[in-house]
Amino acid sequence: MAKIIVVTSGKGGVGKTTSSAAIGTGLALAGKKTVIVDFDIGLRNLDLIMGCERRVVYDFVNVINGEANLKQTLIKDKRVENLFILPASQTRDKDALTKEGVERVLNELSADFDFIICDSPAGIESGAMMALYFADEAVVVTNPEVSSVRDSDRILGMLSSKSRRAEQGLDGIKEHLLLTRYNPERVLKGEMLSVEDVKEILAIELVGVIPESQAVLNASNSGQPVILDEESDAGQAYLDTVKRLLGETVPFRFLTVERKGFIKRLFGG
Amino acid sequence: MSEHSLELKGSLFPLSVLHCSDLSISSLQSLLTAKLAQAPAFFYQAPIVINLQDNDSRPDFVALKQLFTELKLVLVGVTGANAEQKTAAQQAGLAVLQAGKASAAKATEPSAQTAPAAAVKPTQVVVQPQPMDSKIVEQNVRSGQQIYAKGADLIIKGAVGAGAEVIADGNIHIYGSLRGKAIAGASGDSSKRIYCYNMQAELVSIAGNYWLSHSLQGEFWGKPACIRWQGESLVISELV
């Protein structure tokens, strides 16, 4: 039985797909057989971030409609062992996903994988609900600013009331807070909420803090999950995040302005 | 009188009176279950009296008592009973109550008027005011969620997020931060209050009199506070 993790946020553009790609890749690097499922039907992005956009033949909707089987549809990553992608359809809309269809596909994947990462679309409509409905755990991606925090709060409410676990009266979805685009300098200037502020408002356990980094943009543009860039701060922060998801206790890094970084910027330019 | 350790005094209490033509256990069970499902908290452990006026059968009171206990009701007695029914009720340990003529007539009339056109004769529970209940929420109330405690106090262990609404006909107690809206005394009772551990509300209201966030951003912002209605305006004060 695979563990189903939804990566969600409510708000768009906070880093759900980047985080899905990084976390999925990280789990695979840790030896877990992992599939990342793109639930953003109609606005397919995961394939670009994973650099497999030219290898998409069939998609999630084809599998649901029985036009293709999973074996034909799953794209095996060329860099990392144990890593697969189930791409979304670009030509359909969110209504193409049915609860029964999604359940059937997830059950089938569940038999074969250790982790299923569901990359949720933004919003709180059917697409996002479908992505979170079957989840065992949730990574709530939040930027340190008020609108993102409020949307995350909203989605946390959905997780605790609209999911299968909630409906069946099982233990609730395990919720993790992933703070992305964190910039300690701007926090110091009071332009950004601090880790503590966000933790206080959302009151869930923190699983990772990803610093704002040029490496993320570079990685997205080159179709390389940023976690593979082990030199970068963002890549290291995602590696830490994956370890925490797997139950390890890892101290948080990149939370304060590093003097070393400052000097490095002056001289190492 | 020198002996004050024991006194018996007459008092009047509101009781719910059950009017039902068919007092067989199975039929009553399904009718009552359906009725209770509409407002489970409202009837929780409510004292009930059965009106036997239109009923000549001899119900099994012991079984009825058992049924009421299972449904979390308290069967206290019967009224309008004939001699045979009285004896049976007393044997089952129930009180035999004498209803005033006016109230008996009033109670039966609406049951005839509001009777739905169904094959089964309706059960009409005549509702009397009950002591105020409370609704307890153990988690955070998230943005976009709305919680209404009808006819009850509302107690929230977690925080109320920005964009969330908590509403109660009674008082509201919030043991976390209040960042959303809190509306107490929603049915118009201005004696109700709002208590919270950390006041950062978008709106607070008591019996329709409200303050927006800017009226709250003084001394008590981000601190434990109590809101009440006093004289002509809302008043905020410290919690302890």
Side-chain angles (χ1 to χ4, degrees):
Chain A
M1 275 297 278
K3 194 173 267 180
I4 304 177
I5 302 180
V6 60
V7 178
T8 185
S9 69
K11 191 167 161 51
V14 295
K16 284 182 295 296
T17 302
T18 300
S19 297
S20 298
I23 291 171
T25 307
L27 287 167
L29 284 172
K32 308 287 180 190
K33 195 171 179 192
T34 304
V35 56
I36 314 175
V37 184
D38 191 350
F39 274 79
D40 205 348
I41 311 297
L43 293 167
R44 185 172 78 202
N45 279 166
L46 180 71
D47 54 329
L48 289 170
I49 306 290
M50 294 297 295
C52 63
E53 69 274 17
R54 295 181 190 287
R55 297 169 61 207
V56 177
V57 181
Y58 295 108
D59 60 53
F60 195 4
V61 174
N62 292 137
V63 182
I64 285 180
N65 293 345
E67 294 148 6
N69 63 33
L70 272 176
K71 211 176 163 198
Q72 297 169 300
T73 311
L74 286 175
I75 304 173
K76 189 176 185 320
D77 191 86
K78 286 187 167 165
R79 296 155 297 211
V80 184
E81 206 44 26
N82 296 323
L83 181 60
F84 292 81
I85 291 102
L86 181 56
S89 168
Q90 182 67 356
T91 52
R92 308 292 290 270
D93 62 34
K94 309 277 189 277
D95 298 332
L97 296 181
T98 59
K99 210 176 251 183
E100 297 71 29
V102 172
E103 182 172 26
R104 190 168 46 77
V105 174
L106 290 182
N107 281 344
E108 210 175 314
L109 288 171
S110 189
D112 212 23
F113 285 89
D114 299 317
F115 282 94
I116 301 172
I117 307 294
C118 301
D119 180 22
S120 171
I124 52 170
E125 287 77 30
S126 69
M129 291 301 106
M130 214 60 87
L132 68 79
Y133 186 74
F134 297 99
D136 300 309
E137 297 192 15
V139 172
V140 179
V141 183
T142 307
N143 287 169
E145 47 99 13
V146 283
S147 58
S148 174
V149 172
R150 177 174 297 188
D151 291 359
S152 294
D153 197 38
R154 182 92 168 99
I155 214 77
L156 283 163
M158 299 285 191
L159 286 167
S160 60
S161 61
K162 296 280 192 317
S163 63
R164 176 170 65 174
R165 281 176 168 271
E167 282 179 9
Q168 296 182 351
L170 302 168
D171 288 348
I173 291 179
K174 197 168 171 199
E175 300 152 343
H176 307 276
L177 172 63
L178 179 63
L179 209 51
T180 53
R181 298 228 173 102
Y182 195 70
N183 185 333
E185 266 176 68
R186 294 187 60 194
V187 173
L188 265 187
K189 287 189 208 156
E191 295 172 354
M192 220 178 227
L193 295 174
S194 71
V195 176
E196 294 309 317
D197 291 339
V198 181
K199 261 171 78 178
E200 212 258 317
I201 296 173
L202 294 179
I204 56 171
E205 173 232 353
L206 187 68
V207 75
V209 179
I210 313 300
E212 193 168 43
S213 167
Q214 183 61 36
V216 174
L217 199 62
N218 294 346
S220 298
N221 288 338
S222 62
Q224 284 263 44
V226 69
I227 200 166
L228 293 176
D229 182 359
E230 287 172 33
E231 301 290 301
S232 70
D233 47 0
Q236 290 173 21
Y238 272 118
L239 282 169
D240 288 354
T241 302
V242 169
K243 283 183 190 162
R244 290 189 201 102
L245 273 177
L246 289 170
E248 272 184 59
T249 308
V250 185
F252 286 92
R253 296 192 273 172
F254 316 113
L255 298 188
T256 48
V257 184
E258 274 187 54
R259 186 161 290 146
K260 207 178 152 193
F262 181 70
I263 292 166
K264 215 163 140 193
R265 206 164 353 129
L266 274 182
F267 297 103
Chain B
M1 249 170 90
S2 57
E3 190 61 62
H4 284 283
S5 64
L6 191 136
E7 272 186 301
L8 276 172
K9 281 186 172 176
S11 258
L12 289 170
F13 295 98
L15 292 170
S16 297
V17 181
L18 175 76
H19 296 259
C20 184
S21 55
D22 182 5
L23 284 174
S24 69
I25 299 297
S26 58
S27 121
L28 195 57
Q29 178 163 31
S30 61
L31 287 169
L32 270 178
T33 309
K35 188 80 195 172
L36 294 180
Q38 295 169 11
F42 194 86
F43 291 110
Y44 181 76
Q45 296 294 15
I48 306 281
V49 173
I50 300 178
N51 190 319
L52 295 166
Q53 212 158 31
D54 307 322
N55 200 308
D56 295 327
S57 67
R58 206 189 122 174
D60 181 351
F61 287 114
V62 178
L64 277 175
K65 237 176 127 173
Q66 177 69 27
L67 170 67
F68 276 63
T69 310
E70 281 167 18
L71 294 171
K72 303 271 185 276
L73 296 167
V74 183
L75 181 55
V76 292
V78 296
T79 183
N82 60 34
E84 194 191 358
Q85 290 167 334
K86 273 182 192 171
T87 321
Q90 279 163 345
Q91 276 170 359
L94 294 173
V96 176
L97 302 167
Q98 216 64 46
K101 263 186 184 166
S103 71
K106 238 188 251 167
T108 46
E109 254 175 36
S111 91
Q113 280 167 7
T114 55
V120 187
K121 279 204 172 180
T123 304
Q124 194 69 36
V125 178
V126 180
V127 171
Q128 304 281 353
Q130 296 286 315
M132 193 155 275
D133 208 343
S134 46
K135 183 184 177 86
I136 299 172
V137 177
E138 294 275 352
Q139 328 86 350
N140 293 312
V141 184
R142 301 289 184 181
S143 184
Q145 290 183 317
Q146 194 182 49
I147 292 184
Y148 176 33
K150 187 173 170 15
D153 282 356
L154 180 55
I155 299 168
I156 293 157
K157 222 177 106 184
V160 177
E165 282 180 28
V166 292
I167 306 167
D169 289 337
N171 302 298
I172 298 179
H173 306 255
I174 300 161
Y175 290 93
S177 302
L178 169 58
R179 298 191 188 85
K181 299 180 181 173
I183 297 161
S187 52
D189 185 347
S190 60
S191 71
K192 300 305 176 197
R193 297 179 181 193
I194 298 167
Y195 301 91
C196 79
Y197 190 70
N198 185 328
M199 173 61 75
Q200 300 175 42
E202 287 170 354
L203 176 146
V204 291
S205 162
I206 290 173
N209 306 292
Y210 67 89
W211 267 351
L212 289 173
S213 159
H214 69 87
S215 310
L216 296 162
Q217 280 170 357
E219 197 188 337
F220 295 102
W221 190 252
K223 298 211 174 73
C226 165
I227 306 277
R228 64 181 196 281
W229 174 255
Q230 196 177 53
E232 292 293 292
S233 72
L234 292 176
V235 174
I236 185 164
S237 59
E238 62 210 340
L239 204 54
V240 280

